[in-house]
Amino acid sequence: MTLASDLARLWRARGFRRLTLSRLLSQAGDGMFQVGIATAFFFDPTQAASPSEIAIGFAVLLTPFTLVGPFVGPLIDRWQRQRILLVGNLVRVALAGTILAVLAFDGPLWSLYALALLTLSVNRFLLAAMSAGLANVVPRHELLAANAIMPTLGTIAAAAGAAIGGVVTFVVPTASDSSLALATLMSAMGAFAASSWAATLLGRRELGPTRPLAALRLGAQVRELGRELASGVIYLHRRVTPFQALAVMAAQRLLYGVMFVASILMSRYLLGDPAHPEDSLGEFSLVLAFAAAGFGLAAVVTPWLGPRVGRHRWIVACLVLGAGGQAMLAASSSRWALLAAAVVISLAVQGAKIAVDTIVQRDTADEFRGRAFTLYDMAYNVAFVASAAVAAAVLPATGYSAGVMAGVAVAYLVVAAVYARAPREPSPVA
């Protein structure tokens, strides 16, 4: 099977087609938004000069998603997910419009921070709802292919949206930062509105939950959120396979994050000229391009090879592959080693992630699926912030240490050995 044939087959399913359209528009708008406001104006970890500054940048960028996370899952299991997509994108239109007004009237900087971070947090809410609803619009045997294709298309859409912001900057190089932000924000608002419209093409109950939790008054609902999220953790733990898959994903994300921080610093101090940060950004962009190739390869290879070897074995194989990629960096700090490692490790991380998504969707009951993917997002972001903190503690200023790279490679193998012994079938839960 190929990516094209998998997409052609899945595209015949009306629900998948319409959900994908909504996601593409939503993530394209998010790419425009991040270029226009969140990254360009407020925080850009790739421009930081030390491991500790990078750690702070990622903490600022990702902590809001983690704080919002606990309130998301129970709502995804309580509210119709199609309505979440519809209303959530309209909320983002309103937030982006408010940012436009604040920029136009030269409002306080703290309000721009708050509005931008809130908009990014709503995006995580929408992505979690889409992931939870995907299993309702494709057959179970097609979940692996769908999980490979939809995030890949979403990433492409986000990159396309970011490219539109870049084109605006290139075409109007003499414009002020505020004018460029206004232009890209207006484009993002159009994409958010279009995504909301695309959500109306889906049936109100088409994305689930099939048995939504009972509606409560606001006060009672807030009190129940913590209890429901805790029940989700208990359910996943008793179900075994989705809980362990989430643990593997978090561990792999943490290890990948250390390499990501190292690649930022290596691009700046070893491959580029420290006196010219703009050159180091070009080097890091090259690393990202090779990493994107690895993500693309994962989307092609995983649907073909994953079912043949089994999802469990495929995750173990990806962890071993990640160790091999990390070993390249332990052997050399040259450009070829960093670029080769970027491809191999990104392939390993994304390949395992696709299988983890499928396990969580397949082995989690629909009424718990929203909470499962909220916990997924929380673990994903906490692991990445933790990886930046670990990198700040163990990496030198240049970002390269052969000992640290070798240690990360060994850690990949340890995680692979532990997960190889994990159960492959979920435990029944009443």
Side-chain angles (χ1 to χ4, degrees):
M1 294 293 180
T2 65
L3 181 64
S5 63
D6 287 339
L7 178 58
R9 188 176 64 256
L10 286 167
W11 202 253
R12 300 189 191 104
R14 186 190 68 173
F16 175 83
R17 188 168 61 245
R18 294 180 175 181
L19 178 60
T20 301
L21 175 61
S22 181
R23 179 159 184 162
L24 293 180
L25 292 168
S26 178
Q27 290 198 250
D30 190 56
M32 298 175 199
F33 180 85
Q34 290 193 40
V35 168
I37 254 313
T39 300
F41 279 78
F42 301 138
F43 32 73
D44 186 355
T46 65
Q47 294 299 303
S50 70
S52 59
E53 289 179 3
I54 293 173
I56 292 171
F58 281 123
V60 171
L61 185 63
L62 296 175
T63 297
F65 302 156
T66 308
L67 296 177
V68 169
F71 300 94
V72 169
L75 298 181
I76 291 174
D77 293 331
R78 186 182 298 279
W79 297 345
Q80 292 297 332
R81 293 159 193 157
Q82 183 265 357
R83 309 309 285 181
I84 292 175
L85 303 187
L86 172 63
V87 176
N89 276 298
L90 292 178
V91 168
R92 291 208 290 172
V93 171
L95 288 170
T98 305
I99 292 174
L100 283 174
V102 172
L103 284 173
F105 292 99
D106 198 22
L109 184 61
W110 67 264
S111 64
L112 293 175
Y113 270 99
L115 289 166
L117 293 174
L118 182 58
T119 306
L120 291 170
S121 298
V122 173
N123 178 54
R124 297 308 305 173
F125 189 14
L126 297 178
L127 291 177
M130 291 176 189
S131 295
L134 180 61
N136 293 70
V137 294
V138 299
R140 286 172 63 89
H141 67 276
E142 297 282 15
L143 272 176
L144 187 67
N147 280 314
I149 290 170
M150 186 172 283
T152 301
L153 294 179
T155 300
I156 292 172
I164 291 173
V167 168
V168 171
T169 304
F170 178 78
V171 172
V172 196
T174 58
S176 67
D177 286 346
S178 295
S179 298
L180 294 174
L182 292 173
T184 51
L185 278 172
M186 291 179 67
S187 300
M189 289 174 65
F192 296 154
S195 179
S196 185
W197 163 80
T200 65
L201 302 177
L202 290 158
R204 181 165 184 164
R205 301 180 183 276
E206 193 167 356
L207 299 180
T210 54
R211 292 183 293 173
L213 299 175
L216 298 173
R217 293 181 181 276
L218 180 60
Q221 185 166 302
V222 171
R223 288 192 298 271
E224 284 293 308
L225 289 179
R227 183 182 305 173
E228 291 171 6
L229 190 64
S231 71
V233 175
I234 293 170
Y235 170 84
L236 293 174
H237 186 265
R238 290 177 177 173
R239 195 68 170 149
V240 180
T241 51
F243 185 86
Q244 293 180 340
L246 289 181
V248 167
M249 179 277 301
Q252 192 177 31
R253 183 66 173 172
L254 189 149
L255 297 175
Y256 177 76
V258 174
M259 183 263 187
F260 190 84
V261 173
S263 65
I264 294 174
L265 294 170
M266 290 173 66
S267 297
R268 185 181 183 106
Y269 292 107
L270 298 183
L271 306 182
D273 184 353
H276 298 88
E278 64 278 4
D279 294 338
S280 65
L281 182 59
E283 293 285 350
F284 184 63
S285 298
L286 183 62
V287 174
L288 291 180
F290 275 74
F295 289 136
L297 283 173
V300 174
V301 173
T302 303
W304 173 73
L305 193 56
R308 287 167 170 77
V309 301
R311 297 176 184 87
H312 187 278
R313 287 195 185 97
W314 177 243
I315 292 173
V316 173
C318 286
L319 289 167
V320 174
L321 183 63
Q326 201 68 47
M328 294 182 189
L329 277 179
S332 173
S333 62
S334 60
R335 180 181 281 105
W336 73 263
L338 180 57
L339 296 180
V343 175
V344 173
I345 296 174
S346 296
L347 166 60
V349 169
Q350 186 67 9
K353 179 184 181 299
I354 292 168
V356 167
D357 289 354
T358 305
I359 290 172
V360 174
Q361 289 170 338
R362 182 199 64 188
D363 295 348
T364 303
D366 185 60
E367 58 266 31
F368 284 94
R369 205 171 281 141
R371 279 166 281 184
F373 276 96
T374 295
L375 292 167
Y376 187 115
D377 279 345
M378 291 173 63
Y380 189 88
N381 291 320
V382 168
F384 203 69
V385 172
S387 72
V390 170
V394 301
L395 288 175
T398 61
Y400 182 75
S401 165
V404 171
M405 299 303 149
V408 173
V410 171
Y412 270 109
L413 294 176
V414 170
V415 176
V418 172
Y419 190 66
R421 299 170 60 87
R424 303 184 184 185
E425 294 298 327
S427 298
V429 176

